[in-house]
Each structure stands twice: as C-alpha cells, then as structure tokens.
Amino acid sequence: MSETNRKIDESDAVVLVSPEYNRAAPPALTNFLDHFPASSFKYKPTAIVTYSAGTFGGLVSAQQLITLMNELGSPVVPSPVSIPTVQNNMEADGKTSNEHIIRGVDDLIKNLEWYGDALRNQRKNAGKP
C-alpha cells in the first residue's frame, strides 16, 4: 500500500469511477480510500463518475463520495458524471454513443484540468497551508 500511497501523493488529481449498489458507494472503494492519510488527497481535485443499472446513474453514491473526498481535503470539481442504465448506455469496450454522457465527460475533464493546474501551481508556489 505504500507504493500506492506514493503514487496518490505524487498525483495532481484524483478520478473516482464508481458503481452504485443498494443506494450506496461500494464499501470496497470507501475502505480503499480510508487506507491512506488525508494528506495524500489534500489540495488535489477529484472528479467523480458514477453509474448504475437504474435510472439515477449512481447519484446517491456520488453524493457520498463528494462528502468523503471533501472531508479528505480534496475539492470535488463541478459536474460529476452519472451514467444511468449503464447496460443500455455503454458498450462492453467502454464506449458510448450517448451525447449527454460524452458532453458530461468532456466538461468533467476540462474542469479537472483547470482545478488540477490551479491547485498544483498553488501547492508549488505557496505550499500547503
């Protein structure tokens, strides 16, 4: 786990992709995040993508992950992506023709790059408070 922590610590941003089961984020994901100190995530933006077989696309899971990442000091970028009825909206190879999902991912990437650059520059120039 120390190698994984080093990689997280050296990263400029975090991307979480999560299913939703029983209206919750999977315990394996939250347990994974709990293994690392908050300082590994602090002042690094997080992008969240959730999906589910249902019509809400993991919105409850996304809200739980937003709360958790904010508690770890990792601001969550605007416009998380939720993929409803994933079995109908995604191909087996991970591609989609759903324009709403494609636009959402494009916006999420733009936001993550912007926040990642801003927070990396601030950490570099001013350090962490």
Side-chain angles (χ1 to χ4, degrees):
M1 294 301 269
S2 60
E3 177 66 16
T4 302
N5 187 55
R6 183 186 62 74
K7 288 180 180 185
I8 294 169
D9 197 47
E10 292 174 354
S11 70
D12 288 326
V14 176
V15 177
L16 298 178
V17 179
S18 174
E20 178 177 289
Y21 297 113
N22 299 322
R23 311 276 293 163
L29 177 57
T30 58
N31 187 45
F32 172 80
L33 294 169
D34 287 340
H35 271 35
F36 305 104
S39 61
S40 296
F41 299 100
K42 202 161 189 160
Y43 306 111
K44 296 175 187 176
T46 294
I48 295 177
V49 178
T50 57
Y51 61 92
S52 73
T55 57
F56 295 110
L59 290 174
V60 174
S61 176
Q63 290 302 310
Q64 293 170 346
L65 294 171
I66 289 167
T67 300
L68 175 58
M69 295 313 292
N70 282 329
E71 185 62 30
L72 293 174
S74 176
V76 177
V77 300
S79 306
V81 174
S82 296
I83 303 171
T85 55
V86 69
Q87 68 277 11
N88 299 330
N89 283 306
M90 301 297 292
E91 301 297 327
D93 63 2
K95 295 181 181 176
T96 185
S97 58
N98 182 310
E99 289 298 319
H100 179 74
I101 295 169
I102 293 168
R103 281 192 309 274
V105 170
D106 287 344
D107 287 346
L108 186 66
I109 291 169
K110 288 175 189 171
N111 278 313
L112 186 63
E113 288 176 339
W114 190 93
Y115 279 85
D117 288 344
L119 290 172
R120 180 185 56 249
N121 290 334
Q122 188 65 11
R123 287 191 315 272
K124 179 181 168 189
N125 296 327
K128 293 180 181 179

